[in-house]
Amino acid sequence: MSDIASRVKAIIVEKLGVDESEVNPEASFTNDLGADSLDTVELIMEFEKEFNVAIPDDQAETIGTVGQAIAYLEKNVK
Amino acid sequence: MELKRVVVTGLGALTPIGNTVPEYWNGLLNGVSGAAPITRFDASKFKTTFACEVKNFKPEDFLDRKEARKLDPFVQFALVSTEEAVIDSGMDFDNLDTNRIGVIWGSGIGGLKTFQDEVSAFVKGDGTPRFNPFFIPKMILDIAPGHISIKYGLRGPNFSTVAACASSTNALIDAFNYIRLGMADAIISGGSESIIHEAGMGGFNAMHALSTRNDDPATASRPFDLDRDGFVTGEGSGTIILEELEHALARGAKIYAELIGGGMSADAHHITAPHPDGLGAKLVMKNALKDAGLTTADIDYINVHGTSTGLGDKSESKAIVSVFGEDAYRLNISSTKSMTGHLLGAAGAVESIAAILAVKNDIVPPTINHFTDDPEIDPKLNLTFNVAQKRLVRVAQSNTFGFGGHNASVIFKKYEG
């Protein structure tokens, strides 16, 4: 697991209060991990803070699963 | 139309002198002070370095960790005392019409800590707004009754009342009115407050409202004492479940007391100072008595606002003598703020619980920390100094007065079928 992936998972475990075993790449924030729309916004903000990137709203809307978050950050984090 | 009768069927308390109703009542009867040096933040640069904090409170003991993180402390407090009250009431919401059960909740300020934290983070940044999406729904005052309704599925009237230190008394009066008008079967009422944070302490200190007896916190809240020097901040929550009498009887509920009257008034004088002749205080006590259909001869105990400020205690004691005449010298008076500190928007609820339990148990909790008589306080008044007094308490009145000149008073009576 990449460094980015493990940091992303740690944030999700912390913010959504879920078990690490549930945080697999296919898991959807809203359908599988119990997030509501505000939780999802908070997650994106935490990713921005952790990785020091700005994620535009139109990009944020495409990040709905753990795998999508990891892929986006691996591509965009310098 | 005939008004319905309203009774108290559930109590919950989270206070600086006890985290449940039995602990709180025990603390009151034993004259325990809740004041101590502030532990929540470094207060060494503040004029006042102590307060009445809730002790040994871990939100995780009561709330899911993820949920607790999204709740300001004033809402955490509200949920904890309400759970105690719901269990105490024996209400089974699965078998009641939850469309007719509401939540009316008071707080003076609401989510002050949340506001402080979010704005501080913004100011420390480079101007880029990175406000947390939970900032607003965590801070707003009415989110407390919102969360209570969500937790228990209660779809009756739901809102908050704001009248500074009279807030939760106003909540009780509103709840009382909706139930006696037949608009709800039961209402979870009360109030909560959490202001022992930098912004709260700094703000009240700037007003010169607080005691600065930093070398002796436990005796700082000394209502009616000659050397009183301001109020002591408190925090916590009180929940009172009010229920229509027939509804309570039908489910075999335990009844603590009957709520028989509520009065409201305004000083129309100054934003923070009480009227020197206690005009608003007199009016609110008279209004409550009139609403209850009682005379001054019927009241045995007044739990006063009595914050331990120079002006406030003097004008309230004068107002009592003016309204009650000779009866003022027959009844017991006490300020339980001498023990709990001032719970601000939660004061009305927490002190009403003291009044209700005085009616139920025929004991009046004391005004502790009395050392020296103030010549400006009528010496013939029985202010229940230092030690609880046993007496028949048929009826008790609870007064609260708030910045802005808001006054509210409620009257509880022994329940008789």
Side-chain angles (χ1 to χ4, degrees):
Chain A
M1 190 163 60
S2 74
D3 170 56
I4 285 178
S6 64
R7 283 155 71 192
V8 165
K9 287 186 179 179
I11 287 170
I12 294 167
V13 167
E14 157 72 18
K15 291 294 170 189
L16 300 184
V18 291
D19 196 85
E20 198 178 335
S21 63
E22 297 172 72
V23 188
N24 56 60
E26 297 75 37
S28 154
F29 300 141
T30 51
N31 297 332
D32 302 316
L33 301 177
D36 62 20
S37 60
L38 294 181
D39 289 315
T40 310
V41 175
E42 192 182 30
L43 274 183
I44 297 292
M45 289 178 60
E46 286 300 316
F47 296 150
E48 291 182 323
K49 197 158 81 181
E50 172 74 16
F51 297 102
N52 195 25
V53 290
I55 306 175
D57 284 354
D58 60 337
Q59 297 292 304
E61 282 165 19
T62 68
I63 302 174
T65 68
V66 176
Q68 286 165 352
I70 293 170
Y72 179 88
L73 290 164
E74 284 182 335
K75 191 173 154 201
N76 290 282
V77 172
K78 303 287 179 289
Chain B
M1 108 185 236
E2 192 174 332
L3 293 174
K4 305 205 183 275
R5 292 171 69 183
V6 180
V7 291
V8 175
T9 57
L11 298 177
L14 176 60
T15 77
I17 62 168
N19 294 3
T20 62
V21 170
E23 287 172 29
Y24 166 54
W25 181 238
N26 198 42
L28 288 177
L29 295 187
N30 289 304
V32 172
S33 167
I38 289 171
T39 61
R40 191 157 300 128
F41 64 92
D42 175 7
S44 57
K45 289 185 180 165
F46 285 67
K47 273 196 288 192
T48 298
T49 60
F50 65 95
C52 289
E53 292 177 333
V54 165
K55 323 250 179 334
N56 304 316
F57 173 71
K58 293 190 199 71
E60 315 83 64
D61 292 349
F62 303 93
L63 305 160
D64 174 69
R65 190 184 58 84
K66 179 193 163 205
E67 287 307 312
R69 199 173 56 76
K70 294 181 190 172
L71 303 174
D72 187 273
F74 94 102
V75 178
Q76 297 177 356
F77 293 167
L79 288 171
V80 171
S81 73
T82 297
E83 177 73 3
E84 184 188 7
V86 167
I87 292 169
D88 182 48
S89 75
M91 280 191 180
D92 173 9
F93 295 128
D94 291 337
N95 290 306
L96 296 171
D97 181 358
T98 47
N99 290 342
R100 289 187 48 84
I101 301 178
V103 186
I104 303 180
W105 198 260
S107 178
I109 297 184
L112 182 66
K113 179 170 188 343
T114 299
F115 185 79
Q116 173 185 298
D117 289 350
E118 287 289 324
V119 174
S120 302
F122 174 70
V123 171
K124 281 179 194 150
D126 63 1
T128 308
R130 290 188 177 284
F131 290 96
N132 188 288
F134 294 101
F135 171 27
I136 301 297
K138 192 173 165 183
M139 173 194 74
I140 51 178
L141 203 148
D142 54 287
I143 207 70
H147 275 292
I148 294 168
S149 73
I150 292 164
K151 181 170 176 181
Y152 300 104
L154 307 177
R155 296 197 164 78
N158 191 289
F159 59 91
S160 276
T161 52
V162 187
C165 307
S167 296
S168 52
T169 309
N170 277 98
L172 290 169
I173 294 171
D174 277 14
F176 175 48
N177 284 334
Y178 285 120
I179 297 170
R180 64 179 171 168
L181 288 169
M183 296 168 74
D185 293 333
I187 292 181
I188 293 177
S189 188
S192 59
E193 200 81 85
S194 168
I195 64 94
I196 306 175
H197 310 292
E198 293 87 334
M201 293 301 293
F204 282 117
N205 259 163
M207 292 173 62
H208 297 280
L210 302 184
S211 167
T212 54
R213 199 178 296 276
N214 294 323
D215 58 346
D216 192 10
T219 72
S221 184
R222 47 175 82 188
F224 306 104
D225 186 88
L226 178 65
D227 299 317
R228 64 190 184 274
D229 73 330
F231 75 82
V232 176
T233 50
E235 62 178 7
S237 180
T239 302
I240 297 173
I241 298 183
L242 297 176
E243 188 168 357
E244 191 271 316
L245 175 62
E246 295 304 322
H247 190 269
L249 291 174
R251 64 179 190 87
K254 163 181 65 185
I255 295 175
Y256 282 94
E258 181 168 0
L259 176 52
I260 52 164
M264 295 173 277
S265 77
D267 275 11
H269 167 66
H270 184 269
I271 53 167
T272 58
H275 191 283
D277 298 329
L279 276 189
K282 283 189 245 181
L283 186 58
V284 79
M285 286 187 273
K286 283 183 194 164
N287 288 346
L289 283 166
K290 187 177 172 202
D291 187 49
L294 297 180
T295 70
T296 55
D298 297 312
I299 305 289
D300 291 322
Y301 169 45
I302 305 177
N303 184 301
V304 289
H305 191 56
T307 58
S308 185
T309 60
L311 283 178
D313 294 0
K314 194 166 70 181
S315 74
E316 188 175 12
S317 66
K318 279 184 183 167
I320 290 171
V321 173
S322 165
V323 171
F324 285 79
E326 282 302 309
D327 284 320
Y329 306 121
R330 181 191 50 75
L331 48 79
N332 272 72
I333 298 166
S334 74
S335 169
T336 45
K337 287 187 180 77
S338 57
M339 297 172 272
T340 61
H342 190 351
L343 273 72
L344 305 163
V350 165
E351 291 163 19
S352 284
I353 292 172
I356 290 162
L357 293 177
V359 163
K360 183 160 186 292
N361 297 308
D362 291 319
I363 309 176
V364 174
T367 306
I368 67 163
N369 293 328
H370 185 70
F371 303 98
T372 312
D373 289 343
D374 177 349
E376 296 202 70
I377 305 289
D378 190 331
K380 287 192 285 177
L381 292 173
N382 179 1
L383 290 154
T384 322
F385 283 134
N386 296 332
V387 181
Q389 292 177 14
K390 286 188 182 174
R391 70 168 291 159
L392 176 67
V393 185
R394 299 163 299 162
V395 183
Q397 182 161 15
S398 174
N399 288 344
T400 47
F401 312 140
F403 286 163
H406 322 288
N407 310 301
S409 181
V410 281
I411 299 179
F412 299 94
K413 182 173 177 284
K414 260 191 212 304
Y415 170 66
E416 291 154 358

